[in-house]
Amino acid sequence: MVWKIFLFLLLAFVSVAGIAFPIVEKPSAWYEFPFIPGLEENAKIIFFHVPTAWVTVIAFLMSTIFSFRYLKNKNLDDDLKSYAAAQLGIIFCILATVTGAVWAKFAWGAFWSWDPRQTSIFALLLIYGAWFALRSSIESEEKRATLSSVYSIIAFVTVPFFIFVMPRIMTGLHPGSADDTNAGPIVNFKMNSNMLLIFFLSLTGFTILYFWMWQIGYKSLIYKEKIQKQFLRG
Amino acid sequence: MNSKAYNLFLKDFRSELRTRYAINALAMFIIVAISVILFSIGNEKINENLTAGLFWVVIFFTAMSGLSRAFVSEEERGTTLTLQLIASPTTVFSGKLIFNVILVFAMNAIIAVLYGALFEDFIIKNFLLFIATFVLGNIGLAVSSTIIAAIIAKAGAKGTLYPVLSFPILLPLILTCVQLTLFSFDGTSFEKSRFELAIVISYDVIMITVSYLLFDFIWKE
């Protein structure tokens, strides 16, 4: 219970701080963010956009890990855990895509421009979509679990290409792209310490939130199965 | 094991020659797809970028229309159980993979020749690079589509799901191959396209490894 209150306070603080703290030319007070050329007021969305993308990746990773465990132990619980993770993954994936598109509109002038990162998140959306389509096409539980586990592992091994390789070969707009003149991700060189602190607090908050939601999702799947079984029996 | 895989390939090859289902379907698909593209282009002059992209678009959709046969035909004829009895999963996968690789090479060679004949901007300056891209891309395409075909054959929906499942898996390969095809049009040297070639090679290696590791689980299902 304590950690739920803690999480509430954390996320409330992050939301308020992320939205309300002013951006000034020369930050002096602890609550002032620095002015980042090229981003200006848009910089604030970083507290919400990056954590959603981060959670998407965690959810995808967890889904794959549980798929792997299912193939190893053939325990249907692992398949449910993987499913619960993927359900959250697609929600956060859509959130990351939308917040990213909004940010792109104001920072680069268009909602969508096939920047490498945008391509990757789009591919991730496609993978999730294909995964759910595959699951819904199979009746038998074991078969569904096995085939979707196999597919999620095959999909997972292509992810490094999107995350590490594509941004290097395609010219893009995100920091860290092939034609980027700045030396690396935005975190390293332009945020000051209080901005970084709130950024990492937000990452932590979203990660805890994700694990909590994942647990609830997993439990609800189990109850759903139990009710279905009782219904079938009775 | 190798001779068994080869025999399996021969069996597929002979039954394919008997019905010529995949060959006919693929040939017609290639003609239809390319003529649709030519109609829509009309008298317009398209640039190299678009030519390279359209080349791989046709390759992708042709592969999607024909390559799922490898496993779906076994399921349809109900011969899966017999195959499970006489051969190990690895052997089965090797046999099907050989068949699909040959099919992909044949169909892509036809597509490349047709493109060379019909598209003005399909002029390859660095021929070796194009051949390397062609070979590596085809292998990657064949491997990924074979393993997805195996999944599809076991799942209920046979035809519609295939491109949906394959596209995200093939996306890194296709994007890199489009880039490499453009390089070969521009006459870029091997030195400069080293990184892209490395991506395609690593994609092929990763996919072959993963497919052989995971095929056991699909096949025994």
Side-chain angles (χ1 to χ4, degrees), chain A residues 71 119 123 126-127 130 133-134 137-138 142-143 146-147 150-151 153-155 157-158 161-162 165-166 168-169, chain B residues 147-148 151 154-156 161 164-165 167-169 171-172 176 195-196 199 202-203 206-207 210 214 217-218 221:
Chain A
L71 288 181
T119 314
L126 284 180
I127 290 174
L134 176 67
S137 77
I138 308 167
E142 274 90 16
K143 203 181 209 179
T146 311
L147 293 183
V150 168
Y151 185 73
I153 293 172
I154 295 177
V157 296
T158 64
F161 288 101
F162 289 117
V165 178
M166 284 300 149
R168 300 287 175 281
I169 64 163
Chain B
I147 189 80
I148 302 291
I151 296 179
K154 296 283 176 186
L161 218 50
V164 175
L165 289 186
F167 183 67
I169 310 291
L171 195 56
T176 324
F195 190 70
E196 277 80 2
I199 295 171
S202 53
Y203 180 89
I206 289 173
M207 272 303 153
V210 170
L214 292 175
F217 295 105
I218 305 173
E221 188 47 60

Side-chain angles (χ1 to χ4, degrees), chain A:
Chain A
M1 197 58 213
V2 180
W3 65 269
K4 281 179 196 169
I5 296 167
F6 168 72
L7 178 66
F8 172 75
L9 290 176
L10 184 65
L11 281 176
F13 172 69
V14 166
S15 313
V16 170
I19 293 169
F21 281 11
I23 290 183
V24 293
E25 284 285 347
K26 288 196 178 68
S28 50
W30 65 273
Y31 54 81
E32 283 171 338
F33 291 145
F35 180 84
I36 300 173
L39 285 176
E40 295 138 29
E41 291 284 326
N42 306 331
K44 285 175 174 178
I45 204 173
I46 201 169
F47 303 119
F48 308 101
H49 169 64
V50 178
T52 48
W54 161 253
V55 168
T56 313
V57 175
I58 291 185
F60 192 59
L61 182 67
M62 270 181 69
S63 169
T64 312
I65 289 171
F66 283 115
S67 299
F68 193 77
R69 276 182 46 181
Y70 173 77
L71 288 181
K72 215 173 156 201
N73 306 325
K74 297 279 175 192
N75 181 358
L76 276 174
D77 269 0
D78 286 332
D79 181 56
L80 280 186
K81 283 176 187 163
S82 158
Y83 185 55
Q87 273 182 330
L88 283 176
I90 195 166
I91 294 170
F92 278 98
C93 193
I94 292 168
L95 279 177
T97 315
V98 171
T99 50
V102 170
W103 194 359
K105 177 70 184 170
F106 293 103
W108 306 332
F111 282 115
W112 203 264
S113 44
W114 294 112
D115 166 85
R117 293 261 183 268
Q118 287 182 327
T119 314
S120 339
I121 201 99
F122 177 67
L124 206 56
L125 261 179
L126 284 180
I127 290 174
Y128 275 124
W131 196 75
F132 284 109
L134 176 67
R135 281 186 79 91
S136 58
S137 77
I138 308 167
E139 291 284 323
S140 142
E141 264 183 1
E142 274 90 16
K143 203 181 209 179
R144 180 171 62 210
T146 311
L147 293 183
S148 56
S149 299
V150 168
Y151 185 73
S152 102
I153 293 172
I154 295 177
F156 184 74
V157 296
T158 64
V159 166
F161 288 101
F162 289 117
I163 295 180
F164 300 110
V165 178
M166 284 300 149
R168 300 287 175 281
I169 64 163
M170 289 160 79
T171 55
L173 302 156
H174 265 87
S177 298
D179 58 346
D180 188 33
T181 45
N182 301 313
I186 200 159
V187 184
N188 294 342
F189 65 106
K190 276 171 186 166
M191 286 163 123
N192 70 355
S193 55
N194 60 2
M195 206 169 176
L196 265 184
L197 177 72
I198 291 175
F199 176 68
F200 283 116
L201 279 181
S202 172
L203 271 186
T204 326
F206 270 90
T207 311
I208 301 172
L209 181 72
Y210 161 73
F211 277 102
W212 185 22
M213 284 169 83
W214 171 72
Q215 221 176 22
I216 295 172
Y218 169 59
K219 272 182 200 161
S220 80
L221 282 176
I222 289 180
Y223 288 136
K224 205 171 153 191
E225 274 212 340
K226 271 186 185 167
I227 291 168
Q228 265 175 354
K229 269 179 192 153
Q230 271 181 353
F231 183 74
L232 284 176
R233 227 181 279 140

